[in-house]
Amino acid sequence: MKKTLFVLIIILVSMVMYGCSSNGDSEDTGDGEKPTLTFGVTNWTSTVPPTKIAAKILENMGYKVEEINADAGSVYTGMSTGDIDIFMDSWFPAQRQYIEKYSDSIESISVSYDNANSGMVVPKYMEDINDVADLKGKEGIVNKEMFAIGEGDPAMQDMKKVIEFYNLDIKMINSSEAAMLAAAQAKMDEEKPVLFYGWRPHSMFDKFDLKILSNKEVAEEKGLFDTSSVNIIANKGLEEKAPEAYTFLSNWSISIKDMEKMIAEIDSGKDPDKVTQAWIDNNQDKIEKMKNGK
């Protein structure tokens, strides 16, 4: 009796082990578990919408997703070591130096959107002011001042060079982003001329009718405030690690207007998850084309 019971136990244990082994073989040779993908996330408002949208779609494709919050330099370093797989908010040409520095291990795989420009901004009702050069001799219409962000920001150092290049009689009034926008809005509420610093994508372009002044001369000669694009950057191991994710992100694109609309909604207090899910729900055809590489 004991011998029979022992034999039965051996048979049962063998069956269980075979079943586990069979299940394991099926996962390895079939549609096995997909890897975890890590996104680098900066504190810029423009990083949130594309990161959340891409993460939600990749999760629906079967990937696990994690986020690492860091400054831009640390994000690029993390991608170079493989600790971070994807960064959805790389500005060209401003951040091109990182791509060049880590060219052996990271690459730009798609353009998210173009026209991510910055510079001197005026409301569209200032119809006669379209280029920075148009301000020469007319600085008085804006009280010879330009509302700007913190003086320590690198962009403000470049803006000083622009003012000097065009020999404008304009003084920058530096403050926080919020204070700058509040001062500009006070002028615009009365439809008065105003000059301030702006960049796209930003909710200011969704809230107000604005234009960034062209500055072809200084862009060509000094390389200041040239046309920019926002790119998707990935560790070079991503294609092998997650080929479906790589295909999807290689075909990624989103309009700057959609970006500014989402940024404005998030800035107004709406839940970023709900805002980005709404974009996904309204763009299923576009998403399918990105996933299929068409």
Side-chain angles (χ1 to χ4, degrees):
M1 181 67 180
K2 289 182 178 179
K3 183 178 181 179
T4 302
L5 181 60
F6 178 77
V7 170
L8 287 172
I9 291 172
I10 294 297
I11 292 172
L12 286 171
V13 170
S14 298
M15 290 176 67
V16 170
M17 291 179 66
Y18 176 77
C20 291
S21 176
S22 296
N23 289 337
D25 289 344
S26 175
E27 289 179 2
D28 291 340
T29 60
D31 294 327
E33 184 177 345
K34 293 182 178 179
T36 298
L37 300 178
T38 303
F39 284 83
V41 182
T42 66
N43 62 356
W44 310 329
T45 56
S46 58
T47 307
V48 175
T51 301
K52 285 195 171 294
I53 290 170
K56 288 174 184 289
I57 294 169
L58 289 171
E59 285 177 337
N60 288 335
M61 292 169 65
Y63 294 96
K64 294 179 181 178
V65 173
E66 294 179 351
E67 294 183 1
I68 292 180
N69 294 287
D71 61 82
S74 298
V75 167
Y76 283 100
T77 301
M79 280 193 293
S80 72
T81 60
D83 294 322
I84 294 174
D85 297 298
I86 306 156
F87 181 43
M88 300 293 293
D89 202 19
S90 175
W91 290 62
F92 275 41
Q95 295 169 16
R96 184 176 292 164
Q97 72 270 22
Y98 291 114
I99 302 297
E100 294 172 353
K101 181 178 180 179
Y102 300 118
S103 59
D104 291 341
S105 53
I106 68 176
E107 61 181 337
S108 171
I109 61 176
S110 62
V111 175
S112 186
Y113 50 89
D114 292 312
N115 300 316
N117 302 330
S118 62
M120 292 184 176
V121 171
V122 300
K124 287 184 178 179
Y125 56 73
M126 292 176 64
E127 297 178 358
D128 295 335
I129 307 296
N130 298 291
D131 189 275
V132 176
D134 294 336
L135 289 166
K136 182 61 179 174
K138 302 177 183 177
E139 297 94 335
I141 65 174
V142 292
N143 296 322
K144 298 184 178 183
E145 62 185 17
M146 172 184 172
F147 299 122
I149 56 176
E151 189 174 3
D153 190 286
M156 296 301 93
Q157 303 308 309
D158 287 344
M159 185 57 68
K160 286 181 180 178
K161 295 176 184 177
V162 171
I163 293 172
E164 291 172 0
F165 181 88
Y166 288 95
N167 195 26
L168 298 175
D169 185 14
I170 286 177
K171 179 182 178 181
M172 281 199 293
I173 309 299
N174 298 100
S175 61
S176 67
E177 177 185 334
M180 176 192 74
L181 292 174
Q185 182 173 352
K187 296 279 189 178
M188 290 188 286
D189 285 346
E190 297 180 10
E191 290 200 7
K192 291 182 178 180
V194 61
L195 177 69
F196 59 105
Y197 177 68
W199 62 94
R200 302 190 71 180
H202 192 283
S203 57
M204 69 177 82
F205 286 90
D206 183 75
K207 186 175 183 180
F208 307 109
D209 287 329
L210 305 173
K211 56 186 176 183
I212 298 177
L213 300 183
S214 58
N215 49 248
K216 186 177 181 181
E217 291 179 54
V218 72
E220 290 180 350
E221 186 167 329
K222 300 290 186 180
L224 300 173
F225 297 103
D226 203 355
T227 300
S228 299
S229 66
V230 172
N231 292 22
I232 309 304
I233 308 299
N235 176 274
K236 284 188 175 180
L238 180 65
E239 185 172 14
E240 182 178 353
K241 176 181 179 179
E244 291 178 357
Y246 183 87
T247 296
F248 164 58
L249 292 170
S250 294
N251 293 285
W252 172 274
S253 69
I254 191 169
S255 75
I256 197 166
K257 287 186 177 180
D258 283 357
M259 280 288 299
E260 287 171 346
K261 182 175 184 293
M262 287 187 284
I263 291 170
E265 290 175 346
I266 293 169
D267 283 351
S268 69
K270 290 187 178 180
D271 185 342
D273 285 313
K274 291 182 179 179
V275 170
T276 50
Q277 185 60 52
W279 188 93
I280 292 172
D281 294 341
N282 293 328
N283 290 274
Q284 283 298 307
D285 290 345
K286 181 181 179 70
I287 291 168
E288 287 305 312
K289 288 179 180 178
M290 290 193 289
K291 287 162 65 175
N292 297 324
K294 296 180 180 179

